[in-house]
Amino acid sequence: MPLDADRWLRLRAIFEELSELPRPEQARRLAELTFGDPSLRAELEALLVASRDVGDRFEQPAFLPEDLAHPPAESIEPGTRIGPYEIIREIGRGGMGAVYEALRVDAEFSKRVALKMVPAGRDTEMILRRFRYERQILARLEHKNIAALLDGGVTPDGRPFFAMEYVEGERIDHSCARRQLDVRERLQLFRQVCAAVHYAHQNLVVHRDLKPGNILVGPDGTVKLLDFGIAKLLDPTDDDDTPALTETGMLPMTTSYASPEQLRGEPVSTATDIYSLGIVLYELLAGRPPFVGADLPVLEIRRRMLEEAPVPPSEAASAETAAASGEGTTDRLRRALAGELDNIVLMALRKEPDRRYSSAEQLSEDVLRFLAGLPVQAQPDSVGYRTRKFVRRNRGGVAGVVVAALSLVVGTVVSLWQLGLARVARDRAEIERATAQQVTEFFRSVLTAAKPANLGQRVTVAEAVDSAVTRLDSAFADRPLVRRALWNSLGSTLNELDQPDRAEPILRRAYALTQSIDSGRPTWEGATSEYNLAFALWSKGQLAEAESLMRRSLVTYEKAGETPAAIAAGYNSLSALLADRGQLDVSAEMAGKAVAVLRKDPKGGRSLVVALNNYAASLSQLGRYDEALPLAGEAVNRAIALRGPNDVLVGAMLQPLAFTLSYLGRNAEADSLARRSYRIRLEALGAGNTATLISLRTVAEIWVEQGRWAEAIPKLREIIGYRNQGLQESEPNLGSAYLLLGRALAATGQPVEAEAAAREALALRLRHVGETHWLTANTKSVLGEVLARQGRRAEAEPLMVEGLAGLERELGAGHVRTRQARDRLAALRRQR
């Protein structure tokens, strides 16, 4: 029967509250809300029966029209034929139809599909029209991240159906939690969602019901967007039935994921989907939607969505979310989300459509910029912010006005106060009293005093930090705990700027305070002082003292109660430092300890995968390939089980496995796995990412070892092309690419270019790892081979002799690199 406006509003509000409750709670709450009005209760009971969801994957809109306010028809029995399809089981039911798993069984081919059709008894003109409209929309969309329309037809009794791609997977939020994806990996999945939505928008389709239940992740890590049942075409010639739907009371949305304009009944646009994407991203990062609470009625949720700004995801993140995120602790997760990610999410969730991202592609690009360390659009476009991001990408040598420089420091320190100190405040009430506002005011005074007009000169970022340190001593003279925290922050900033000479004296102050303040008590801030100073000394080449401090920091972190994952990460850092010292045996031992720690941790997950990989790589460096192979294989298998076969983590694990197989002479397997690693990383991270370039170099190196010189040369040139554009000069990968290019060019009869490439590799090695490192020794041996190919034996032999001696000293006589160097020298002497 027709509803008057007041009764309609009451009916809608009660239904929306009830629809969000568990079924056992619905009856009790329904009785409370409809006491004395049995007809209203009967209408609501009918609506609840009609709207009851049968499965997560095809969750229906938040409200159904009066046309649907009766019980659904019985499901079609398994084995029933619908056209060429045989029904297997029902997998979902919503307001617009039922969905079945079905199998095509005619003579054409066999294929499993998701078959959607209008149940008998629901085939009203409005529903049939909407069903045909959905089919029309799906016919426009062909994208790898959208479940595809495969076929369509009509049943003998005149009801339309269509067959869609059957997606084997789980909803995106459940998948992220089960696989314990970290923040960066969740962002990569989210970018696939954005790609699907942007494609739909390009084809003038607005989804209008984006939510985790409509986004599945397959076993291979591919995202699929489902359910365009309430989508809308933006084509001005479109005859969308939205007016008919709204006239009958249909609200085409799910309240918790709807935009403000949807809630107000205003026209929708692509900005509507941007808002819903923001809610999905918020939930993936924080573990819950921004406006939903367990005990909130729907009307209160709607009021908040229309009137209130959501808290940033970093503030909403809980311990439960952190445990499922791969970040370990709540504090770590909040630090990962705070700042740029908060800004990205909140920009997507702005109330005004024209202030959100202009497209799903723009939102995706901002996420990509965050992943790449570039300035994001959602961040206020301040000089200091862009300077900070530029400096972090180009470590060192950056000059600018002091105001911009100190903005970097202010950002670092305020982040420390707002995010980091919560962790150590449990035993330092003094730091709790030193608020972020006090610290900010201090740096404002530094900024004022150090304006270019006052200084009369331009200064570097590092000099600006020096100025801040000088004033810090007097500003917090009576607060040693505050000084230590700020010195750690400033010294860490200089470490990031690749300014270890300036960082060291600041970090030594922090370390000295640690010894006097903590009096032997293990504290997190004290361990951080030790680690930061170790990092600065490591960068300066003072490896012995760096090793001592890093070992001490590891012990302190363990005593301070760090998580197993963090302890294992400390062992891995120490392993890397020891490898730089050439102590490969001890390096492998530390990597093995990381594995041992994580095998005892039931939450090892991704951390164990990475530790296994590092241990295998350490053993490979020692030439212990038979020991390395099962560990590398276990790392790959665990990564696939955790993330699916095409996840970026799998790409990372495949690379050392390919190397190990190559050294064992299993070239075909090595080549296949190396190329697979490269494809995965290329798609997930982009061509210029350092990890992608490492996998590309692995492919090229395997080809060089196989004598496929001509194929390897363009790949190596591609890697070198990213020098100082994502690939820093200190990256070992760059030196390796030059050295491999020298070998390949020499083998293909290009001696001049070959020598230039090999000499550049040697210059990079001497500059960044030093004279005694095995990488330098190996480079000398290869350079000698390049010169020998030109007939310059007098120059070649001393280099080969020196290189062989260094490799024997650092790697041992039986290592594969040593054997190769020995063979080069023997071949030269035979020629002589």
Side-chain angles (χ1 to χ4, degrees):
M1 69 177 181
L3 297 177
D4 61 49
D6 290 341
R7 185 176 178 81
W8 156 243
L9 289 173
R10 185 182 178 199
L11 176 69
R12 186 176 75 176
I14 295 174
F15 174 84
E16 290 181 350
E17 179 174 344
L18 293 174
S19 66
E20 300 290 337
L21 295 176
R23 286 183 62 178
E25 296 291 322
Q26 286 181 349
R28 179 189 61 78
R29 187 62 174 153
L30 177 62
E32 294 175 355
L33 295 172
T34 60
F35 181 76
D37 193 340
S39 63
L40 180 62
R41 178 172 180 170
E43 290 176 85
L44 284 162
E45 285 176 338
L47 287 173
L48 288 169
V49 170
S51 67
R52 199 152 286 148
D53 190 2
V54 182
D56 287 339
R57 290 168 48 177
F58 295 92
E59 185 179 357
Q60 66 182 56
F63 194 72
L64 295 170
E66 195 172 0
D67 299 44
L68 305 181
H70 50 74
E74 293 183 3
S75 297
I76 299 174
E77 292 296 323
T80 303
R81 286 286 294 268
I82 304 293
Y85 301 98
E86 181 177 301
I87 299 298
I88 298 175
R89 65 187 177 98
E90 183 176 321
I91 55 177
R93 183 179 292 268
M96 293 302 168
V99 182
Y100 300 88
E101 180 184 353
L103 187 67
R104 182 160 185 150
V105 291
D106 63 2
E108 295 294 327
F109 54 87
S110 177
K111 185 175 181 65
R112 189 163 59 150
V113 301
L115 194 74
K116 186 168 184 177
M117 61 186 302
V118 177
R122 292 233 186 137
D123 49 348
T124 65
E125 177 56 34
M126 188 271 286
I127 291 298
L128 290 175
R129 183 182 178 194
R130 184 69 208 182
F131 190 88
R132 289 190 293 268
Y133 188 77
E134 180 184 359
R135 189 167 63 183
Q136 173 191 351
I137 285 175
L138 285 172
R140 301 169 71 114
L141 304 176
E142 295 182 11
H143 190 273
K144 68 175 183 177
N145 297 121
I146 296 176
L149 177 67
L150 303 175
D151 193 9
V154 180
T155 65
D157 60 356
R159 287 180 292 141
F161 69 85
F162 57 82
M164 301 173 290
E165 172 188 3
Y166 183 87
V167 180
E168 188 72 61
E170 61 184 325
R171 48 188 282 171
I172 189 169
D173 53 342
H174 294 173
S175 177
C176 289
R178 180 183 62 80
R179 297 189 291 158
Q180 290 189 310
L181 298 193
D182 61 26
V183 168
R184 297 180 69 84
E185 290 159 334
R186 291 173 188 236
L187 293 175
Q188 293 292 354
L189 277 184
F190 179 73
R191 292 191 66 234
Q192 292 188 54
V193 183
C194 290
V197 173
H198 180 64
Y199 173 82
H201 290 175
Q202 287 179 312
N203 285 272
L204 305 180
V205 175
V206 180
H207 190 282
R208 293 202 290 193
D209 199 23
L210 294 170
K211 56 190 176 185
N214 286 338
I215 305 166
L216 299 189
V217 180
D220 64 350
T222 300
V223 167
K224 292 285 186 180
L225 180 58
L226 306 175
D227 201 349
F228 284 76
I230 62 170
K232 174 180 171 57
L233 282 173
L234 298 176
D235 191 332
T237 63
D238 166 44
D239 61 346
D240 181 15
D241 57 354
T242 299
L245 293 175
T246 54
E247 285 166 11
T248 58
M250 182 67 163
L251 294 178
M253 61 182 170
T254 301
T255 301
S256 300
Y257 297 89
S259 66
E261 57 269 26
Q262 282 179 290
L263 295 174
R264 289 191 292 262
E266 298 170 353
V268 300
S269 66
T270 56
T272 301
D273 281 350
I274 302 302
Y275 188 91
S276 299
L277 283 172
I279 295 182
V280 171
L281 180 57
Y282 191 110
E283 190 165 355
L284 290 181
L285 298 177
R288 67 167 179 84
F291 297 101
V292 175
D295 301 321
L296 291 178
V298 172
L299 285 181
E300 173 60 16
I301 295 171
R302 291 165 65 93
R303 186 194 67 76
R304 292 186 180 189
M305 294 178 76
L306 289 169
E307 299 175 8
E308 296 182 3
V311 299
S314 61
E315 296 180 23
S318 65
E320 182 180 0
T321 307
S325 72
E327 298 295 337
T329 66
T330 309
D331 188 57
R332 280 198 186 86
L333 176 59
R334 288 179 173 175
R335 282 201 299 255
L337 302 182
E340 293 162 327
L341 282 180
D342 280 343
N343 291 329
I344 288 172
V345 174
L346 296 179
M347 181 170 174
L349 291 178
R350 287 173 178 166
K351 307 296 184 189
E352 308 86 355
D354 60 350
R355 295 189 64 240
R356 298 172 200 151
Y357 288 98
S358 62
S359 68
E361 182 180 46
Q362 189 183 57
L363 169 57
S364 178
E365 286 180 353
D366 230 12
V367 171
L368 179 61
R369 293 177 74 82
F370 167 80
L371 291 170
L374 298 167
V376 301
Q377 180 177 334
Q379 176 73 22
D381 193 14
S382 65
V383 175
Y385 172 76
R386 291 193 174 275
T387 300
R388 180 163 70 254
K389 299 304 293 185
F390 178 78
V391 166
R392 285 179 179 173
R393 296 196 316 275
N394 303 273
R395 302 171 182 270
V398 179
V401 295
V402 69
V403 175
L406 282 178
S407 295
L408 164 65
V409 181
V410 172
T412 302
V413 173
V414 172
S415 294
L416 169 73
W417 283 101
Q418 293 175 336
L419 307 170
L421 292 187
R423 178 176 190 173
V424 296
R426 56 183 177 264
D427 62 344
R428 287 190 296 277
E430 183 178 356
I431 287 185
E432 290 180 326
R433 292 194 298 271
T435 63
Q437 181 61 37
Q438 290 174 297
V439 176
T440 302
E441 288 301 322
F442 162 69
F443 279 107
R444 281 179 183 161
S445 69
V446 174
L447 289 169
T448 302
K451 286 180 180 178
N454 294 337
L455 290 176
Q457 59 183 350
R458 297 170 65 85
V459 297
T460 65
V461 172
E463 288 167 345
V465 172
D466 289 344
S467 171
V469 169
T470 302
R471 298 201 57 194
L472 184 153
D473 286 341
S474 57
F476 298 101
D478 59 342
R479 292 185 176 181
L481 290 171
V482 176
R483 291 205 313 279
R484 178 176 67 176
L486 296 178
W487 280 337
N488 265 327
S489 178
L490 293 168
S492 178
T493 297
L494 289 168
N495 275 339
E496 286 189 20
L497 297 176
D498 197 22
Q499 296 274 347
D501 290 329
R502 292 179 183 272
E504 182 189 355
I506 297 171
L507 293 171
R508 284 200 183 277
R509 292 185 185 187
Y511 176 62
L513 270 180
T514 289
Q515 293 178 305
S516 63
I517 293 172
D518 293 346
S519 301
R521 289 184 304 115
T523 65
W524 183 86
E525 190 71 34
T528 301
S529 299
E530 293 164 345
Y531 179 83
N532 286 343
L533 179 55
F535 188 91
L537 296 172
W538 185 2
S539 300
K540 291 180 65 177
Q542 298 170 222
L543 301 185
E545 187 179 359
E547 179 189 341
S548 174
L549 283 166
M550 191 167 287
R551 286 182 181 276
R552 192 176 307 167
S553 74
L554 185 57
V555 172
T556 307
Y557 277 130
E558 287 179 321
K559 290 180 178 178
E562 262 294 5
T563 63
I567 297 300
Y571 278 124
N572 280 328
S573 293
L574 181 57
S575 174
L577 189 153
L578 290 166
D580 273 4
R581 293 199 71 185
Q583 299 177 20
L584 298 185
D585 285 327
V586 190
S587 172
E589 179 188 344
M590 294 299 107
K593 285 189 174 184
V595 171
V597 168
L598 290 168
R599 285 203 189 277
K600 298 175 184 177
D601 181 13
K603 296 182 180 179
R606 181 183 183 279
S607 297
L608 178 56
V609 171
V610 173
L612 284 165
N613 180 74
N614 291 343
Y615 190 23
S618 296
L619 292 172
S620 285
Q621 277 196 317
L622 288 168
R624 293 159 60 181
Y625 304 117
D626 290 333
E627 296 175 66
L629 185 60
L631 292 167
E634 182 184 354
V636 171
N637 290 333
R638 283 181 176 272
I640 291 172
L642 198 63
R643 303 291 175 81
N646 294 315
D647 189 86
V648 67
L649 179 63
V650 177
M653 300 304 104
L654 285 169
Q655 187 260 336
L657 176 59
F659 253 136
T660 302
L661 288 168
S662 174
Y663 287 128
L664 287 170
R666 295 162 62 174
N667 293 329
E669 296 171 81
D671 184 24
S672 175
L673 293 179
R675 286 187 285 109
R676 182 177 163 197
S677 170
Y678 173 63
R679 285 196 303 271
I680 291 172
R681 284 175 154 178
L682 178 65
E683 182 170 344
L685 306 174
N689 183 273
T690 300
T692 305
L693 296 175
I694 288 173
S695 288
L696 182 58
R697 193 214 73 214
T698 302
V699 173
E701 184 161 352
I702 289 171
W703 289 353
V704 167
E705 296 297 336
Q706 295 175 359
R708 297 162 62 180
W709 315 105
E711 295 174 76
I713 288 172
K715 302 299 183 186
L716 295 166
R717 291 192 188 281
E718 180 181 345
I719 295 169
I720 291 168
Y722 284 99
R723 183 174 183 172
N724 294 324
Q725 298 182 36
L727 189 61
Q728 301 299 320
E729 291 205 353
S730 57
E731 288 283 346
N733 196 34
L734 181 62
S736 296
Y738 271 111
L739 191 61
L740 290 166
L741 180 61
R743 290 180 62 192
L745 291 169
T748 54
Q750 303 175 66
V752 176
E753 288 183 80
E755 181 183 352
R759 288 197 181 279
E760 182 62 23
L762 181 58
L764 288 170
R765 296 303 197 210
L766 290 170
R767 190 179 310 141
H768 296 293
V769 299
E771 178 73 37
T772 60
H773 200 282
W774 72 265
L775 284 171
T776 305
N778 187 61
T779 304
K780 289 179 178 178
S781 175
V782 173
L783 175 58
E785 181 183 42
V786 169
L787 294 174
R789 284 179 178 271
Q790 300 179 40
R792 295 158 63 182
R793 297 188 180 114
E795 298 172 69
E797 185 167 2
L799 284 168
M800 287 187 178
V801 169
E802 190 176 350
L804 176 59
L807 288 167
E808 287 179 336
R809 181 183 66 249
E810 299 298 326
L811 300 182
H815 194 280
V816 63
R817 299 291 189 190
T818 309
R819 294 199 306 270
Q820 290 172 341
R822 189 179 298 114
D823 290 344
R824 291 188 195 104
L825 181 58
L828 177 70
R829 287 174 172 170
R830 283 196 301 271
Q831 291 173 1
R832 186 179 63 187

